[in-house]
mmCIF file of all heavy atoms in Angstrom:
data_model
loop_
_atom_site.group_PDB
_atom_site.id
_atom_site.type_symbol
_atom_site.label_atom_id
_atom_site.label_comp_id
_atom_site.label_asym_id
_atom_site.label_seq_id
_atom_site.Cartn_x
_atom_site.Cartn_y
_atom_site.Cartn_z
ATOM 1 N N ASP A 113 13.056 13.736 -38.453
ATOM 2 C CA ASP A 113 13.361 14.119 -39.831
ATOM 3 C C ASP A 113 13.065 15.600 -40.072
ATOM 4 O O ASP A 113 12.496 15.986 -41.116
ATOM 5 C CB ASP A 113 12.591 13.249 -40.854
ATOM 6 C CG ASP A 113 13.037 11.806 -40.808
ATOM 7 O OD1 ASP A 113 14.207 11.560 -40.519
ATOM 8 O OD2 ASP A 113 12.202 10.928 -41.039
ATOM 9 N N HIS A 114 13.432 16.440 -39.107
ATOM 10 C CA HIS A 114 13.143 17.846 -39.190
ATOM 11 C C HIS A 114 14.413 18.651 -39.518
ATOM 12 O O HIS A 114 15.531 18.107 -39.506
ATOM 13 C CB HIS A 114 12.535 18.337 -37.863
ATOM 14 C CG HIS A 114 13.382 17.954 -36.653
ATOM 15 N ND1 HIS A 114 13.475 16.661 -36.237
ATOM 16 C CD2 HIS A 114 14.160 18.702 -35.805
ATOM 17 C CE1 HIS A 114 14.275 16.617 -35.170
ATOM 18 N NE2 HIS A 114 14.709 17.848 -34.900
ATOM 19 N N PHE A 115 14.196 19.911 -39.771
ATOM 20 C CA PHE A 115 15.309 20.823 -40.087
ATOM 21 C C PHE A 115 15.524 21.764 -38.897
ATOM 22 O O PHE A 115 14.545 22.348 -38.384
ATOM 23 C CB PHE A 115 15.011 21.649 -41.329
ATOM 24 C CG PHE A 115 14.792 20.825 -42.576
ATOM 25 C CD1 PHE A 115 13.543 20.269 -42.887
ATOM 26 C CD2 PHE A 115 15.864 20.545 -43.420
ATOM 27 C CE1 PHE A 115 13.376 19.508 -44.024
ATOM 28 C CE2 PHE A 115 15.694 19.799 -44.566
ATOM 29 C CZ PHE A 115 14.440 19.256 -44.847
ATOM 30 N N ILE A 116 16.769 21.899 -38.480
ATOM 31 C CA ILE A 116 17.079 22.779 -37.356
ATOM 32 C C ILE A 116 17.856 23.979 -37.890
ATOM 33 O O ILE A 116 18.888 23.832 -38.582
ATOM 34 C CB ILE A 116 17.929 22.069 -36.299
ATOM 35 C CG1 ILE A 116 17.188 20.831 -35.762
ATOM 36 C CG2 ILE A 116 18.287 23.005 -35.150
ATOM 37 C CD1 ILE A 116 17.963 20.017 -34.771
ATOM 38 N N ILE A 117 17.366 25.185 -37.573
ATOM 39 C CA ILE A 117 18.041 26.428 -37.986
ATOM 40 C C ILE A 117 18.502 27.137 -36.708
ATOM 41 O O ILE A 117 17.747 27.329 -35.766
ATOM 42 C CB ILE A 117 17.076 27.310 -38.772
ATOM 43 C CG1 ILE A 117 16.678 26.641 -40.067
ATOM 44 C CG2 ILE A 117 17.749 28.675 -39.067
ATOM 45 C CD1 ILE A 117 15.736 27.446 -40.925
ATOM 46 N N VAL A 118 19.793 27.476 -36.697
ATOM 47 C CA VAL A 118 20.373 28.181 -35.531
ATOM 48 C C VAL A 118 20.567 29.618 -35.822
ATOM 49 O O VAL A 118 21.217 30.008 -36.824
ATOM 50 C CB VAL A 118 21.726 27.524 -35.151
ATOM 51 C CG1 VAL A 118 22.348 28.291 -33.995
ATOM 52 C CG2 VAL A 118 21.537 26.069 -34.815
ATOM 53 N N GLY A 119 19.988 30.494 -34.986
ATOM 54 C CA GLY A 119 20.147 31.935 -35.122
ATOM 55 C C GLY A 119 18.969 32.583 -35.835
ATOM 56 O O GLY A 119 18.572 32.106 -36.915
ATOM 57 N N TRP A 120 18.460 33.630 -35.262
ATOM 58 C CA TRP A 120 17.321 34.326 -35.860
ATOM 59 C C TRP A 120 17.792 35.648 -36.453
ATOM 60 O O TRP A 120 18.342 36.505 -35.783
ATOM 61 C CB TRP A 120 16.195 34.586 -34.846
ATOM 62 C CG TRP A 120 15.079 35.405 -35.406
ATOM 63 C CD1 TRP A 120 14.727 36.687 -35.089
ATOM 64 C CD2 TRP A 120 14.135 34.983 -36.387
ATOM 65 N NE1 TRP A 120 13.613 37.078 -35.794
ATOM 66 C CE2 TRP A 120 13.243 36.050 -36.622
ATOM 67 C CE3 TRP A 120 13.953 33.802 -37.106
ATOM 68 C CZ2 TRP A 120 12.215 35.976 -37.525
ATOM 69 C CZ3 TRP A 120 12.903 33.756 -38.014
ATOM 70 C CH2 TRP A 120 12.052 34.805 -38.225
ATOM 71 N N ASN A 121 17.583 35.770 -37.762
ATOM 72 C CA ASN A 121 17.912 36.998 -38.476
ATOM 73 C C ASN A 121 17.103 37.000 -39.758
ATOM 74 O O ASN A 121 16.272 36.120 -39.974
ATOM 75 C CB ASN A 121 19.423 37.097 -38.775
ATOM 76 C CG ASN A 121 19.979 35.787 -39.288
ATOM 77 O OD1 ASN A 121 19.464 35.233 -40.294
ATOM 78 N ND2 ASN A 121 21.004 35.241 -38.628
ATOM 79 N N GLU A 122 17.336 38.004 -40.604
ATOM 80 C CA GLU A 122 16.557 38.101 -41.825
ATOM 81 C C GLU A 122 16.843 36.908 -42.768
ATOM 82 O O GLU A 122 15.946 36.434 -43.460
ATOM 83 C CB GLU A 122 16.876 39.411 -42.530
ATOM 84 C CG GLU A 122 15.885 39.752 -43.632
ATOM 85 C CD GLU A 122 14.450 39.923 -43.155
ATOM 86 O OE1 GLU A 122 14.277 40.301 -41.971
ATOM 87 O OE2 GLU A 122 13.522 39.649 -43.928
ATOM 88 N N ARG A 123 18.065 36.423 -42.745
ATOM 89 C CA ARG A 123 18.384 35.253 -43.543
ATOM 90 C C ARG A 123 17.623 34.016 -43.072
ATOM 91 O O ARG A 123 17.145 33.199 -43.869
ATOM 92 C CB ARG A 123 19.896 34.967 -43.517
ATOM 93 C CG ARG A 123 20.732 36.083 -44.103
ATOM 94 C CD ARG A 123 22.178 35.701 -44.202
ATOM 95 N NE ARG A 123 22.741 35.329 -42.911
ATOM 96 C CZ ARG A 123 23.102 36.210 -41.956
ATOM 97 N NH1 ARG A 123 22.935 37.485 -42.168
ATOM 98 N NH2 ARG A 123 23.625 35.794 -40.843
ATOM 99 N N SER A 124 17.500 33.862 -41.764
ATOM 100 C CA SER A 124 16.747 32.752 -41.213
ATOM 101 C C SER A 124 15.283 32.850 -41.599
ATOM 102 O O SER A 124 14.679 31.842 -41.989
ATOM 103 C CB SER A 124 16.883 32.752 -39.687
ATOM 104 O OG SER A 124 18.220 32.622 -39.285
ATOM 105 N N ARG A 125 14.695 34.024 -41.504
ATOM 106 C CA ARG A 125 13.313 34.227 -41.878
ATOM 107 C C ARG A 125 13.084 33.856 -43.344
ATOM 108 O O ARG A 125 12.127 33.095 -43.692
ATOM 109 C CB ARG A 125 12.886 35.664 -41.664
ATOM 110 C CG ARG A 125 11.416 35.936 -41.982
ATOM 111 C CD ARG A 125 11.140 37.438 -42.000
ATOM 112 N NE ARG A 125 11.360 38.056 -40.714
ATOM 113 C CZ ARG A 125 10.417 38.121 -39.757
ATOM 114 N NH1 ARG A 125 9.199 37.606 -39.963
ATOM 115 N NH2 ARG A 125 10.676 38.708 -38.594
ATOM 116 N N ASN A 126 13.959 34.332 -44.243
ATOM 117 C CA ASN A 126 13.813 33.995 -45.649
ATOM 118 C C ASN A 126 14.038 32.526 -45.928
ATOM 119 O O ASN A 126 13.375 31.941 -46.778
ATOM 120 C CB ASN A 126 14.807 34.850 -46.465
ATOM 121 C CG ASN A 126 14.505 36.324 -46.415
ATOM 122 O OD1 ASN A 126 13.357 36.717 -46.195
ATOM 123 N ND2 ASN A 126 15.493 37.169 -46.623
ATOM 124 N N THR A 127 14.976 31.928 -45.210
ATOM 125 C CA THR A 127 15.251 30.482 -45.390
ATOM 126 C C THR A 127 14.045 29.658 -44.974
ATOM 127 O O THR A 127 13.659 28.704 -45.691
ATOM 128 C CB THR A 127 16.480 30.081 -44.549
ATOM 129 O OG1 THR A 127 17.610 30.840 -44.986
ATOM 130 C CG2 THR A 127 16.777 28.599 -44.726
ATOM 131 N N ILE A 128 13.439 30.002 -43.845
ATOM 132 C CA ILE A 128 12.256 29.277 -43.364
ATOM 133 C C ILE A 128 11.119 29.377 -44.378
ATOM 134 O O ILE A 128 10.459 28.388 -44.693
ATOM 135 C CB ILE A 128 11.837 29.771 -41.978
ATOM 136 C CG1 ILE A 128 12.875 29.398 -40.923
ATOM 137 C CG2 ILE A 128 10.460 29.209 -41.596
ATOM 138 C CD1 ILE A 128 12.640 30.068 -39.597
ATOM 139 N N GLN A 129 10.937 30.580 -44.907
ATOM 140 C CA GLN A 129 9.867 30.781 -45.899
ATOM 141 C C GLN A 129 10.162 29.984 -47.148
ATOM 142 O O GLN A 129 9.238 29.384 -47.756
ATOM 143 C CB GLN A 129 9.751 32.274 -46.214
ATOM 144 C CG GLN A 129 8.513 32.625 -47.086
ATOM 145 C CD GLN A 129 7.235 32.279 -46.397
ATOM 146 O OE1 GLN A 129 7.049 32.547 -45.224
ATOM 147 N NE2 GLN A 129 6.304 31.658 -47.154
#
Side-chain angles (χ1 to χ4, degrees):
D113 294 329
H114 52 290
F115 299 86
I116 301 176
I117 297 179
V118 177
W120 176 249
N121 46 54
E122 193 60 29
R123 297 187 303 283
S124 301
R125 182 191 297 273
N126 294 335
T127 300
I128 291 170
Q129 189 61 44

